[in-house]
Amino acid sequence: MRRLKKVGIALGVLYLGLVFLAYFFQERLIFFPAKMPVDHTYDFCQPFEEFFLNTEDGARLNAVHIKNDSENGVVLYFHGNSGNVSHLYHVANRISNKGYDAIFVDYRTYGKSTGALSEEALNKDAQLFYDYALGQYKENEIIVYGRSFGTGIASRLAAKNAPCRLVLESPFYSAVDLGKHRFPFLPVSLLSRYRFPSHEYLKEVNCPIYIFHGTEDSVIPYDAAKRLYESIPGKAKEMFTIEGGGHNYLQASTVFRKGIEEALR
């Protein structure tokens, strides 16, 4: 009995240590930034302008503005939780082929961007880039596009503004919901400083919403996207299911290509 008690205490201490580490190092579980030298030269096929935006708290945010002199408008794009803008050449080609300009954003600590991460800061940064777009395009010419982690940022941004469309590729229901899926042994609801309740944001969005998700996504379950879609009130929504699709490379699917034709019409 004494041995069992000692084992129980040891396991309890280990669990509390794990909870401690998960709370104080949660950014390392969420964000996987790829840094880039400030003097790196981008090599997009399209004409483009690299620019920086400065924030109130001293961060310096890097982005690339693809300029095709498009009459259709612009796609404001928020990528996933890994990589950086330099990995988006194929996305730039896809968007350009649909006749749009594009703005690709690097979050704090990604690429050439600096600053301390927080949910509030990321949301404020997104609004800065939206305001930048408003300075050059009419609001009914702005499409907000988020992929994976970026869908949480894109959902809130669309809820707080009035873009013409919102595109969500491989979205989650909420960051807390995803955390519970990935770490079911942790009290994620109590620990998480990053909540991104997309299902709540989308109730406030007043533009058409397009969702793309693969049925075999091992990072964000297909069920999360389905529940997210079902939580959206009204009929101005469409979901494109890519059978057998994973978390990446959905663009290879015929369903995805047809859906993008509609979303970027």
Side-chain angles (χ1 to χ4, degrees):
M1 182 65 71
R2 185 175 297 177
R3 172 178 282 184
L4 288 176
K5 186 176 181 179
K6 288 183 178 180
V7 170
I9 292 173
L11 290 175
V13 170
L14 286 173
Y15 181 74
L16 289 175
L18 182 61
V19 169
F20 176 88
L21 291 172
Y23 178 78
F24 287 100
F25 295 95
Q26 60 188 268
E27 279 83 6
R28 296 189 182 185
L29 298 174
I30 300 171
F31 303 103
F32 303 95
K35 297 294 292 183
M36 183 182 298
V38 177
D39 61 356
H40 173 84
T41 301
Y42 291 110
D43 188 26
F44 288 93
C45 297
Q46 303 83 0
F48 71 91
E49 176 185 342
E50 179 186 0
F51 67 98
F52 289 86
L53 295 181
N54 297 315
T55 70
E56 292 181 352
D57 67 346
R60 193 165 186 249
L61 308 174
N62 184 241
V64 169
H65 188 172
I66 304 293
K67 296 185 173 182
N68 296 308
D69 296 325
S70 171
E71 296 182 357
N72 291 338
V74 65
V75 175
L76 179 56
Y77 188 93
F78 297 93
H79 61 68
N81 68 338
S82 64
N84 57 46
V85 164
S86 71
H87 301 161
L88 299 178
Y89 298 124
H90 66 290
V91 181
N93 293 337
R94 184 195 316 153
I95 292 173
S96 295
N97 289 338
K98 303 305 177 190
Y100 286 87
D101 295 346
I103 298 171
F104 296 129
V105 175
D106 257 340
Y107 313 123
R108 295 163 178 246
T109 74
Y110 286 71
K112 303 180 185 182
S113 293
T114 65
L117 286 164
S118 74
E119 182 169 352
E120 180 182 8
L122 289 168
N123 286 329
K124 286 183 176 180
D125 296 347
Q127 186 63 53
L128 275 180
F129 284 106
Y130 194 90
D131 293 342
Y132 168 88
L134 280 175
Q136 304 185 49
Y137 303 89
K138 298 176 182 177
E139 192 160 24
N140 63 4
E141 296 175 336
I142 299 174
I143 295 174
V144 175
Y145 192 130
R147 198 192 86 80
S148 190
F149 168 77
T151 61
I153 293 175
S155 295
R156 183 186 184 280
L157 189 63
K160 302 300 180 182
N161 297 277
C164 65
R165 288 187 288 284
L166 172 64
V167 182
L168 303 175
E169 182 182 338
S170 304
F172 51 75
Y173 185 77
S174 74
V176 171
D177 180 74
L178 180 59
K180 289 179 179 179
H181 168 76
R182 297 184 65 181
F183 306 103
F185 50 88
L186 292 174
V188 174
S189 294
L190 296 175
L191 296 176
S192 181
R193 296 195 300 270
Y194 296 90
R195 310 193 76 83
F196 290 105
S198 297
H199 63 296
E200 296 294 340
Y201 297 149
L202 295 190
K203 294 176 182 177
E204 303 175 23
V205 173
N206 293 311
C207 67
I209 301 171
Y210 299 85
I211 292 178
F212 298 83
H213 212 101
T215 59
E216 301 301 319
D217 191 326
S218 60
V219 178
I220 303 175
Y222 173 74
D223 176 68
K226 188 175 180 180
R227 285 187 288 121
L228 182 66
Y229 176 77
E230 292 170 349
S231 74
I232 303 170
K235 297 182 178 180
K237 60 181 182 178
E238 191 158 0
M239 182 168 179
F240 297 91
T241 296
I242 292 83
E243 294 292 340
H247 191 65
N248 301 309
Y249 310 114
L250 297 184
Q251 66 271 17
S253 163
T254 300
V255 172
F256 181 90
R257 292 196 297 269
K258 288 182 178 180
I260 285 296
E261 286 285 348
E262 183 176 338
L264 304 185
R265 60 183 185 275

